[in-house]
């Protein structure tokens, strides 16, 4: 679906006055409920795009993102779904689809908010741990939506998706929210949200897409990935020098993890992922099925 310019009658929406007005935004979003998604989408995209450029207090941006989340998800649900059975995912052309654009805008705004809350956590009333958790959970949610969509639609992720994911996880490790190689697994947050498992799940999805997994196997993977992520382990590359066929998570590169065709001769900035055995078996079987179907 392409995004068309607004009609003359709706041009008032595009003046985008008072984007930082929480009550005004709530009223505006409420007014969009009666509109067809194709009519409401251009202004929603533009508002989110302009929002990320505004200098706002973290508390204001937090309230706005809470308001936008549900309408964005509802708009995405009303858009055409990717078809994993189709060679092009059911979409022609190149560039971002409308759903990819919305997910990207939410992710960018949430990422900006997360940084602001942490940077001002000692002098900002909104920088509570509960608010920080909400932002982080939803930041991972929209990253997962982007990576899942790319796999099902057989399209690349928006530029910087993987780099932003790696940077976020490295930051959480440095800050102490994630304890790698710990003998005792501890959830990062009291509500059971585990950033490490979320990260590993996305690494598994990205690797599967890079292997060409498509069709029904891709849909099956989405169901199995959370459990396989919990059973996979991130490890220091220095412990695996000289070993062959390792899965490398290179956090300085905007790409998913990759398999090292040779032996690991030197360390790098990142980790080695030791995946659950069932995941490797599934990928091998699933990619054979995908190749056979494409050749038929």
């Amino acid at each position: 679906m392409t995004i068309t310019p607004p009609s003359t009658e709706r041009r008032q929406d595009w003046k985008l006055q008072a984007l930082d007005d929480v009550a005004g935004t709530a009223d505006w979003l409420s007014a969009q409920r009666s509109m067809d998604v194709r009519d409401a989408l251009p202004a929603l995209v533009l508002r989110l795009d302009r929002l990320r450029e505004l200098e706002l207090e973290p508390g204001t941006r937090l309230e706005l993102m809470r308001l936008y989340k549900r309408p964005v998800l509802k708009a995405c649900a009303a858009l055409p779904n990717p078809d994993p059975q189709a060679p092009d995912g059911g979409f022609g052309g190149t560039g971002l689809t409308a759903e990819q654009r919305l997910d990207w805008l939410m992710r960018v705004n949430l990422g900006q908010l997360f940084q602001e809350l942490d940077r001002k956590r000692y002098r900002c009333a909104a920088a509570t741990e509960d608010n920080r958790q909400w932002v982080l959970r939803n930041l991972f949610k929209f990253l997962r939506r982007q990576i899942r969509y790319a796999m099902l639609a057989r399209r690349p992720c928006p530029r910087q998706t993987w780099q932003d994911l790696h940077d976020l996880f490295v930051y959480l490790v440095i800050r102490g929210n994630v304890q790698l190689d710990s003998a005792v697994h501890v959830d990062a947050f009291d509500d059971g949200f585990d950033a490490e498992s979320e990260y590993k799940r996305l690494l598994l999805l990205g690797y599967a897409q890079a292997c060409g997994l498509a069709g029904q196997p891709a849909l099956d993977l989405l169901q199995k990935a959370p459990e396989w992520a919990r059973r996979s382990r991130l490890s220091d590359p220095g412990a695996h020098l000289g070993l062959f066929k390792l899965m490398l998570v290179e956090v300085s590169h905007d790409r998913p993890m990759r398999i090292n065709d040779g032996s690991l001769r030197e360390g790098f900035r990142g980790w080695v992922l030791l995946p659950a055995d069932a995941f490797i078996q599934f990928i091998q079987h699933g990619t054979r099925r995908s190749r056979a179907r494409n050749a038929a």
Side-chain angles (χ1 to χ4, degrees), residues 84-95:
Q85 308 292 347
D88 60 356
F91 301 103
T94 59

Side-chain angles (χ1 to χ4, degrees), residues 17-273:
Q17 295 174 352
L19 279 175
D20 59 346
D21 181 352
V22 175
T25 296
D27 290 341
W28 184 86
L29 289 169
S30 180
Q32 308 310 299
R33 294 175 187 169
S34 60
M35 299 180 63
D36 182 88
V37 65
R38 295 176 183 272
D39 294 327
L41 185 61
L44 180 60
V45 166
L46 188 57
R47 289 177 73 91
L48 286 168
D49 193 40
R50 294 285 179 84
L51 187 63
R52 67 190 179 95
E53 300 173 350
L54 292 182
E55 291 289 335
L56 298 174
E57 284 300 314
T60 300
R61 196 182 302 277
L62 175 65
E63 291 186 71
L64 290 169
M65 296 314 298
R66 287 184 182 274
L67 286 175
Y68 277 113
K69 177 188 170 182
R70 188 173 182 182
V72 165
L73 292 176
K74 289 184 71 174
C76 289
L79 292 168
N81 293 322
D83 180 4
Q85 308 292 347
D88 60 356
F91 301 103
T94 59
L96 299 183
T97 67
E99 184 167 345
Q100 283 182 304
R101 182 70 176 173
L102 280 174
D103 285 338
W104 179 80
L105 285 167
M106 286 296 292
R107 175 175 70 79
V108 170
N109 275 288
L110 286 165
Q112 183 175 349
L113 175 57
F114 186 69
Q115 294 175 14
E116 291 169 351
L117 288 175
D118 264 18
R119 190 166 58 244
K120 301 180 180 181
R121 61 185 178 273
Y122 299 118
R123 50 189 174 86
C124 173
T128 66
E129 192 59 23
D130 284 347
N131 286 340
R132 183 177 179 273
Q133 289 179 35
W134 183 88
V135 176
L136 187 60
R137 284 197 308 271
N138 282 284
L139 184 49
F140 269 103
K141 177 187 181 76
F142 281 95
L143 280 161
R144 185 170 69 248
R145 285 179 57 84
Q146 286 193 294
I147 292 168
R148 175 187 182 276
Y149 188 97
M151 180 176 72
L152 295 180
R154 304 196 198 185
R155 302 174 77 89
C157 288
R159 190 174 60 86
Q160 288 294 111
T161 297
W162 286 102
Q163 188 63 70
D164 288 349
L165 174 63
H166 295 322
D167 289 347
L168 174 62
F169 189 71
V170 168
Y171 174 78
L172 293 175
V173 171
I174 293 172
R175 197 178 186 274
N177 291 129
V178 176
Q179 298 177 5
L180 298 178
D181 291 328
S182 175
V184 179
H185 176 78
V186 179
D187 283 337
F189 302 101
D190 292 339
D191 63 359
F193 171 78
D194 181 6
E196 182 182 351
S197 289
E198 288 290 324
Y199 182 57
K200 290 184 294 186
R201 184 189 345 185
L202 299 185
L203 293 176
L204 297 181
L205 296 184
Y207 178 76
Q209 182 186 12
C211 289
L213 195 75
Q216 188 59 45
L219 293 171
D220 293 340
L221 175 62
L222 294 174
Q223 302 300 317
K224 301 172 185 292
E227 176 60 25
W228 287 340
R230 287 190 289 271
R231 289 160 49 194
S232 301
R233 186 165 65 91
L234 290 168
S235 180
D236 189 319
H240 304 280
L241 295 179
L243 299 183
F244 288 80
K245 300 293 183 180
L246 294 171
M247 291 189 176
L248 310 186
V249 183
E250 300 156 298
V251 300
S252 298
H253 297 278
D254 181 30
R255 65 188 180 205
M257 69 177 178
R258 65 179 180 88
I259 196 163
N260 188 30
D261 291 331
S263 64
L264 187 61
R265 300 185 179 277
E266 58 184 19
F268 59 92
R269 186 168 179 259
W271 296 280
V272 166
L273 183 85

